[in-house]
Amino acid sequence: MKYAPRGWNSWDCYGAAVTEKEVRSNAQYMAAHMKNAGYEYVVVDIQWYEPGSQNNEYHPFADVCIDEFGRLIPAENRFPSSAGGKGFLPLAEFVHSLGLKFGIHIMRGIPRRAVAENCPVKGTKVTAREIAETASICLWNTDNYGIDPQKSGAKEYYDSIFELYAAWGVDFIKCDDICRELPEREEELILIHEALQGCGRKMILSLSPGPALIEKAQLYMDVSNMWRITDDFWDDWNLLYGMFERAEKWSIYAGNGHFPDADMLPLGAIRQVYEPTYRTAFTKKEQITMMVLWCMMRSPLMMGGELTKNDPFTLGLLTHSGLMALHERSRHAHQVYRKHMGENEIILWTSMRAAEAGAGYDGQYAAVFNAAGPKASITLDPSDLELEGVRDCIDVMTDEQVSLTKPISIEEHGSRLFCFTWK
Amino acid sequence: MKYAPRGWNSWDCYGAAVTEKEVRSNAQYMAAHMKNAGYEYVVVDIQWYEPGSQNNEYHPFADVCIDEFGRLIPAENRFPSSAGGKGFLPLAEFVHSLGLKFGIHIMRGIPRRAVAENCPVKGTKVTAREIAETASICLWNTDNYGIDPQKSGAKEYYDSIFELYAAWGVDFIKCDDICRELPEREEELILIHEALQGCGRKMILSLSPGPALIEKAQLYMDVSNMWRITDDFWDDWNLLYGMFERAEKWSIYAGNGHFPDADMLPLGAIRQVYEPTYRTAFTKKEQITMMVLWCMMRSPLMMGGELTKNDPFTLGLLTHSGLMALHERSRHAHQVYRKHMGENEIILWTSMRAAEAGAGYDGQYAAVFNAAGPKASITLDPSDLELEGVRDCIDVMTDEQVSLTKPISIEEHGSRLFCFTWK
Amino acid sequence: MKYAPRGWNSWDCYGAAVTEKEVRSNAQYMAAHMKNAGYEYVVVDIQWYEPGSQNNEYHPFADVCIDEFGRLIPAENRFPSSAGGKGFLPLAEFVHSLGLKFGIHIMRGIPRRAVAENCPVKGTKVTAREIAETASICLWNTDNYGIDPQKSGAKEYYDSIFELYAAWGVDFIKCDDICRELPEREEELILIHEALQGCGRKMILSLSPGPALIEKAQLYMDVSNMWRITDDFWDDWNLLYGMFERAEKWSIYAGNGHFPDADMLPLGAIRQVYEPTYRTAFTKKEQITMMVLWCMMRSPLMMGGELTKNDPFTLGLLTHSGLMALHERSRHAHQVYRKHMGENEIILWTSMRAAEAGAGYDGQYAAVFNAAGPKASITLDPSDLELEGVRDCIDVMTDEQVSLTKPISIEEHGSRLFCFTWK
Amino acid sequence: MKYAPRGWNSWDCYGAAVTEKEVRSNAQYMAAHMKNAGYEYVVVDIQWYEPGSQNNEYHPFADVCIDEFGRLIPAENRFPSSAGGKGFLPLAEFVHSLGLKFGIHIMRGIPRRAVAENCPVKGTKVTAREIAETASICLWNTDNYGIDPQKSGAKEYYDSIFELYAAWGVDFIKCDDICRELPEREEELILIHEALQGCGRKMILSLSPGPALIEKAQLYMDVSNMWRITDDFWDDWNLLYGMFERAEKWSIYAGNGHFPDADMLPLGAIRQVYEPTYRTAFTKKEQITMMVLWCMMRSPLMMGGELTKNDPFTLGLLTHSGLMALHERSRHAHQVYRKHMGENEIILWTSMRAAEAGAGYDGQYAAVFNAAGPKASITLDPSDLELEGVRDCIDVMTDEQVSLTKPISIEEHGSRLFCFTWK
C-alpha cells in the first residue's frame, strides 16, 4: 500500500442514518472531483442494518435486519437495491463502476437478535446462543453480543460474515468495538483478521474505536491496516490540540500497509443529519494544521463531510497537490520538539521525502505548528533538523522559496510546512 | 554536537575506587588507540572524594573530603596531584595535554558532612543546614542531602561547585541521583543546568540513574546532553534483551546535542576491582549486537572496561569503522517491527544515513536482531523498509555486498547490519 | 426482629433446579422438626422461572417464563400448582398452612426476554426496552438486564413485581446481583427497597451476592434486613477460616432487624442435584465451629441441606438449645483478639447475653476458636474479657460447669463456647 | 490497666520547647486538682534534648545533646536539674513525690549526631554508623536516622536507651515516627517493645503518629498500650467531625491494657508558646462532645492545655464524675448508626457499663451526637439499642432522669449522654 487509505465515510455527516441515495451521490462526486487526487474508498458507517435509524444516536435493543444465519443485512427501506436478498452487492457494483472501492462498518460479535432467535451458525450444528459471550457487551451500542473465541462455531460465524461481504464485493471493513478493547478481545480480533484473510477477497481492515493501546502496537500492525489512536474526533480545537501528543507517541508505527489513524476529517458540510446548513467549526488555519499533521504522520484521510456540498476551499485543501505529495511520500516522520517559546507553544515535526521514482529520499519535510499562543515569529534552527548545508527550501502550501535564516511567522493555531532538497 | 559522546568511564572496572594512576594510564591508551576513532572523554566516576573507597560498594556515612565551603574535593591518597588544594586541575591538564577531555561524577545535593559541620555557602551568609532539604535523600548512597531549590543559597551553592569545576578544567559532568527523580527534583535539576550554563566553561551534562521518565523527554532534551534510559547495565543478556524495548520507546528523542543513554559498554576487562582476570560475559555476537543497537540509536559510547587490557577483538569492535560511521551518521532511527518468526523473535530497526559531506541523506541503514531463539534464517521484505528499487546493499560489519532476495542468517543473540544506497 | 432469620434455602442441595415437590417436603419437615427451634422461612432460590434448569449451572440466554408485563413467573413443569396464572400463591398458601413463611429469589433488573419482546411495563405507556440499562448486565447470569433508575417506568416496573409477589403471599425476597454492585447500583437498590416498602405486605429483604462493601454498611442497614458479607460459602475449611476476618470487620453492624449474612449452612445432604448420597465435607468439629461463629455474630441461619435427609447430629446441631439461645440473645458481639499461641492461631470472641425477660444483660458469652494448628491447650485470661470476679461459667455445648483457672483444650478447627453469669 | 491512661502532655501548650519549671508547675497542679479524678501521667514531649528549641517548629539538623553512647540527654539550659549527668532522674523523682508518674517522648532510631560522631553502641564493639539505616529517615524531623533491625548492635542500642530511661525512673514512653510507618518499621517496633519489656521497669508504651493502620490492629494491641488513630488533633471542628469515622473503625480494639488513641485534648490554654492568652477554639458544646466520644471509646485522656491556666469549666469538664465513670466503666463500645435525619447527621453510640464492684454489667450507655446541622430534635428508638423494657435513664452530664418516649434536643455540634440501668 503506497500510502494510507483516502476516501469518504458517512458518519460525520449522516451518523447512523445514511441512505443509498446519499452514498451514491457522494461516490459520484468523488469519482468526478477527488479520484485523481487519490481518494477511492466510499464507506457506509454503522447501523445500515437498522430500518429506524435517524441520526447519530443509537436505539437500545433496536430491531436489526438479519438473515437466517444471524448475519446483518442492509435495511431495505434505506438501501432499496438490497431488496430480494441482494445485500450490498448492487451498491458495491455501482461504486466499482465509478473506479472506486466500497466499504462498510461492522461491530465485533453477533446480533442480540440472532441470540434471541437462536439462529444457526452457517455450516455448523451450533447456534447463536452457544457462541455469544454473555458478559462481553459493547458499552455504547446494544446491537451485538461479543463472541467467545473458545467456542466451537465462533470461527465459523466470523468466516460466514466475511464470506458474505466478499460475495457483496466489499473492499474495506471498519470493525468497531475492538480496537481499545485489548487485551480482553485479542483472540476475537485475531479471528476477525483470519476470517478476512481467508475470505478470498482483498479488503482493508480498519479498527475502532480509539484510543488504541500503545503496548499493542505490533499487534495492530500485524492484523490490520489502520487503527484509531483517538476517541471520536470532531471540529473542536481542543481535540486537534490533543492529537499532537497522540501523534508523537504513535509516529514510529506508521509504515507500508499499516497506519495509525487520527480519525475522519470533519471538514465542510458535516452534521447534516441535524442541521443541513452546518459547516465545520474549524478555521481555515486549523483545517490546514490538521491536514499537515495527518499527511505528515501518514494518517488515513477519510473525509467526513457531505462531498457534494464542498466549497472550493475544502475541495482545494483535500486535494492540495503539496499535501497529497506529503501524504504519499512522507517517511520516518516524528516530532522533533515541543516547547515553549515566549508566549507560544511550538511543535516541530520532520520526515523524509521518498523519491518520486526509484529508491531513496530526495528531500526532508519540516512542519512547524503554533499549538498555543498568538501569532508567532520563530527562527528555526537547522541543527534541530540535522540538516547541514541546506540548499533549497520550499513553503509547500504556497510553493514559494523560503530562507530559514530569517524568522518565520505562524498564525494562531496555524502551521507552516517546508520541504528541503539537496543536490 | 556531531555525534553522541564517546569515551571511557571508570565505574565498570574500578567502581567507586579508581585512582589517579589508573585514570592516567587509560587516558594515555585512549590517546594512542582510540582518539582517531572519535573517543575523547575520560570520566572519573563516583566517590573520588572518599579516601576509604575500595570497590563498587558505598560506605554508609563515609568520611568525605570537603573544602571550607562544603564542596567535595579529591581524596589526596587516591589522587595525589590534587594535594595542596589543586583539586582536579593537574589531572585535567594532563588529559587535555593528550588532546582529550576530562569528566567527573557528582551527586545532586550537598555533603552530609557539610551539614554536620554547618559550612558556609560560598559568597553568602547562609550555611549548609539552611539549604539542605531534610527529607530528600538518595536511597542508595549516604554522602549527600538534596538541596531545597526554594531556599536562599541553593542557587549559590550550585554556582559555587560549577565555578570550582570550571576552574579545574572539567569538560563533562555526570550528575547522579537526579534523572529518574522527576518530577520531585525538577527544580533542582534546573538549578544544576543553569549553574553549568553560567560557569563560563562548556561542559557536557550527563544525567543518571535511569530509567528516565518518557513523559519528561523534552525536559531532558532541554537541559542535558544525555540521560540514562536504563538502570545500571552489565554484561548480562537479559539486560541487553531488555534494552530493545527502551530503545524503541526513546528513539525519536535522539538529536543533535541530546541523546538517550543506554549506559556504559561493559566490554573487555571490567570488574577489575574484584577480579583482575575477569572479562565481559557477553559473547562476541552479543557484543556486536550491543554495539549495533547503541550506534544505530545514537547512544553515547562510554567504554567501561580497563582500556590497557583490551584484546584485539574489543579494540576492533570499539573502533570498527562501519560502526563509527553508523554512530556518526545515523538519523531518524526507529524500530520497524518486533515479531515472532517461527522459533525466533526478530527485531528490525532502520535509520537514515546522513551524507558524509553536504546536506541530505545518501543511504539507509537496516539492523536485524535475533532477540530470541536459535540461529535464524530470515527473508527481509524491502517493503518493511519502504525502500523501492533498492540497488546496493552492504553488510556493514564485513563490508561485503549482499542481496536481500535470499534469506539471511542470524546467529542466536546476533545481529546483521546493512546499508542501502541509491543512485 | 428478635433475632436473625432462620430457615431453609434450596440452593445448596438443588441449585437452580428445585421442584415444588421438594419444596413442599422440606417445608413439612421444617414444620415437624425445626419450627419449635425458631426456623420459619422456606426459600426457593434462583431460576424458578426456567423450565430447563437442571442443576447449579446457568444456561446462557435461557428461555424464561414471563407474563404479559415482562414479569417472571414460575415454570409450570417444575411448579405445577402455578398453572393457570396462579403463580406462587398455592405454594405459599401451603407453606403458610404449616405455620411457616415463604420466600423467593430474584435478580435485579428485567428479563432479557421482556426486552426482546418489548413488553409493556404494567400501568405505564413505556416498554421494557425503554427502562433496560443497556450496559448493566450480570456477569454470571444472562437472564436479566439491569434497570436504569433514571428512566420513566423504572420505579413502576419494580412496583409491579412486588405487587405480584405480595399477591402471591411472599414473605422473603433474596435479591441477587445487587449487594456488591455498589456504588453503581445504589439507586436501583433504593428502588427495590421502596417497592418492597410500598407493596402492602411485610417481607424480609436479603441482599446477594457478597462480599458486601464495608463502606456501605449504613446503607445495607437502612434498606435491607440481611446482606451477604462473603462470596458463596461451601463446605470447605478454607472458606470457614476466611469467614473469621469478615466477621471481625462486620460485627458492629449487626442489630435489631439488620444482620450481616455469612451465607447458608452447607450441612447434611447438600449438592443433591449432582450426587444424592453426598454429605457435607465439614467435620463435626468444624460444623460446631461454624454454628458458634454464625450464632455469636448473629448471622441468619439458612440451612442449605435437604432437610428430610438430616441425620440426628445435623438436626441436633441446627436446633441445639444453647446455640439457639446464643443466636437469640447475643448482643454487641466482637472479636477480642486473634493471635498465635505456640503452634496455634487462636481467636477469641465475646458478646453480651440479653436477659431472657425484662431489660438488660444477665451474662457474657465467650467463644474460643482454634483456627490453625493441632489440638490446643489454652489458658484464657479473664482480663481479656474484662470480667472481674467471675462467678459461674458454663460450657454451652455440654451444659457443664467449667473453671477457667485451668487450661482448656480445643480440637483442631474446633471451638469452645462459654457463658459467664453473675449474681 | 483499669482504664486508659490520663495525664498531661506538654505539646499542645509548649510544643518542642517546654522547660523543667513548666513541667514542675503542671505536675503540682495535677496533684492538687486532678489526681483524685484519676489523672497521673506528666509527659515531656519532643526535643527535650535540643537546647535551642523555641516553639512547635523543628530545626533542621539541630545540635542535640547526647552522651558518649549516642543516647539523647536533656538539654541542661531547659532542664537544669539534669546537670552533672543526672538526666531526668531529679525531675522524675519530683513527679513521683507528688504521687504521679513521669513520661517522655522519643523518636525511633539513633541521633544523626551520634552517626556523625560515630559513637560506640554501649556494651558492643559496633558504632552508630553500623546500625543506622541509611534510607530510613523521618519526613518531618531530622534528629534521627532509623535503626536497621538486622544489624548487630541494633537490639543493644535500644536496650541501652531503655536501660537509661529505667534508671531515670520513667513510667511512660511516647515513641514517635513509628505508628503509621508499618509494615516497613515493624521489626524496629518489636525491638522497642522488647527493649521496654526487658528494662526492668514497668512503662506505658504510646505510639505515634497516626493514623494507625487498621490491618495492624492486633500488632498494636500486642506491643503497646495506646496507639494514635489520627494525625495531630487540634481545636478545629473538622478534625473532631473526622474522628467519628476513625472511632467507628477502631472501637472493637479497645480493651484492658490496649487503647486506640484519639490524641491529646486541646482544651483550655493551648498554643502558649505562640500566644499566652490563647484559649481553645472549641465551643463548650464541642468540648463536651469530644469528651463524651473519647470517654465512651476509651481513648486515653491526655490534657494538652497549660493546667495552671484552667478555668472552672475546663477543670470541671476534665474531672466530671459522670464522664470519669464512663471512661472507667465503658465496655464493648461501638457506633450503632450514623444517618441523616431531616437537616441533621446523627450518630448514635452505645456501650456496656461495667459494674462498679464485682463482675458483670449494671447499665448501658448511649451517646447521641449532632454531627451536622442545626439544633436537632430527635426521638431515639430503644430497639436500636436493643434494650427492651427500659426502666431508668439518666442524662449523665446533668444527672437528671430523662424519658426517651419524648424527643430529645441536641445543640449544633452537641451531644447527649444517657445511662440506662435495670432492676
Side-chain angles (χ1 to χ4, degrees), chain B residues 66-79:
Chain B
I66 57 176
D67 72 4
E68 64 187 309
F69 297 117
R71 299 180 296 188
L72 292 164
I73 54 175
E76 291 186 20
N77 64 330
R78 291 170 51 201
F79 298 92

Side-chain angles (χ1 to χ4, degrees), chain B residues 213-268:
Chain B
L213 290 81
I214 194 78
E215 64 271 24
K216 290 291 177 184
Q218 186 67 48
L219 178 67
Y220 298 125
M221 292 161 70
D222 288 346
V223 306
S224 78
N225 302 103
M226 50 192 273
W227 56 91
R228 280 270 300 280
I229 63 170
T230 170
D231 203 340
D232 279 16
F233 179 75
W234 284 101
D235 50 337
D236 173 332
W237 169 255
N238 291 320
L239 295 176
L240 181 47
Y241 179 83
M243 198 67 75
F244 286 100
E245 190 175 345
R246 296 164 191 230
E248 173 191 5
K249 201 166 64 166
W250 282 98
S251 64
I252 69 168
Y253 302 106
N256 193 334
H258 46 85
F259 305 96
D261 176 9
D263 204 6
M264 295 170 293
L265 306 166
L267 298 182

Side-chain angles (χ1 to χ4, degrees), chain D residues 32-243:
Chain D
H33 302 290
M34 297 169 73
K35 187 168 72 171
N36 286 346
Y39 289 83
E40 56 181 341
Y41 291 96
V42 176
V43 181
V44 177
D45 213 286
I46 199 166
Q47 303 303 126
W48 41 264
Y49 35 75
E50 184 194 353
S53 197
Q54 291 174 314
N55 49 37
N56 290 38
E57 282 161 36
Y58 303 119
H59 298 126
F61 313 105
D63 285 307
V64 300
C65 301
I66 57 176
D67 72 4
E68 62 188 310
F69 298 116
R71 300 180 296 187
L72 292 164
I73 53 174
E76 291 186 19
N77 65 328
R78 290 170 53 201
F79 297 91
S81 76
S82 71
K86 298 209 201 74
F88 271 130
L89 179 61
L91 182 54
E93 286 178 337
F94 172 75
V95 172
H96 293 155
S97 75
L98 298 170
L100 302 174
K101 291 178 177 163
F102 179 67
I104 59 171
H105 171 285
I106 64 170
M107 303 286 290
R108 72 172 171 89
I110 187 165
R112 295 194 191 192
R113 185 175 166 200
V115 170
E117 299 184 2
N118 209 12
C119 298
V121 173
K122 191 177 177 215
T124 74
K125 291 180 177 167
V126 305
T127 64
R129 291 188 186 176
E130 292 171 76
I131 65 170
E133 185 162 331
T134 62
S136 175
I137 58 172
C138 175
L139 293 179
W140 43 271
N141 181 295
T142 61
D143 294 336
N144 281 16
Y145 287 113
I147 288 179
D148 183 342
Q150 301 296 337
K151 291 287 172 62
S152 167
K155 171 182 166 22
E156 286 76 4
Y157 181 77
Y158 273 123
D159 288 347
S160 80
I161 62 172
F162 275 91
E163 176 190 67
L164 185 63
Y165 305 153
W168 286 349
V170 171
D171 305 298
F172 182 110
I173 296 288
K174 175 181 177 182
C175 183
D176 218 337
D177 193 32
I178 191 106
C179 184
R180 72 182 171 208
E181 305 304 318
L182 303 184
E184 289 76 13
R185 309 315 302 170
E186 187 163 329
E187 283 180 84
E188 196 170 358
L189 173 56
I190 288 169
L191 276 194
I192 292 166
H193 165 68
E194 290 174 348
L196 185 153
Q197 293 296 316
C199 80
R201 184 175 176 88
K202 189 170 167 359
M203 301 180 195
I204 295 288
L205 182 59
S206 161
L207 305 181
S208 269
L213 289 82
I214 194 78
E215 64 271 24
K216 289 292 178 184
Q218 186 67 49
L219 177 67
Y220 297 126
M221 292 162 70
D222 287 346
V223 305
S224 77
N225 304 103
M226 48 193 275
W227 57 91
R228 281 271 299 280
I229 63 171
T230 169
D231 204 338
D232 279 15
F233 179 75
W234 283 101
D235 49 337
D236 174 330
W237 169 254
N238 291 321
L239 295 176
L240 181 46
Y241 179 84
M243 199 66 75

Side-chain angles (χ1 to χ4, degrees), chain B residues 1 34 43 68 107 116-117 158 172 208 211 243 267 318 354 381:
Chain B
M1 201 183 306
M34 298 168 72
V43 181
E68 64 187 309
M107 303 286 291
E117 299 184 3
Y158 274 122
F172 183 109
S208 271
M243 198 67 75
L267 298 182
L318 286 169
D381 180 348

Side-chain angles (χ1 to χ4, degrees), chain C residues 248 253 298 361 364 386, chain D residues 248 253 298 361 364 386:
Chain C
E248 173 191 5
Y253 301 107
R298 305 168 76 187
Y361 307 92
Q364 180 169 346
E386 302 198 279
Chain D
E248 174 191 4
Y253 302 106
R298 305 168 76 189
Y361 306 92
Q364 181 170 346
E386 301 197 279

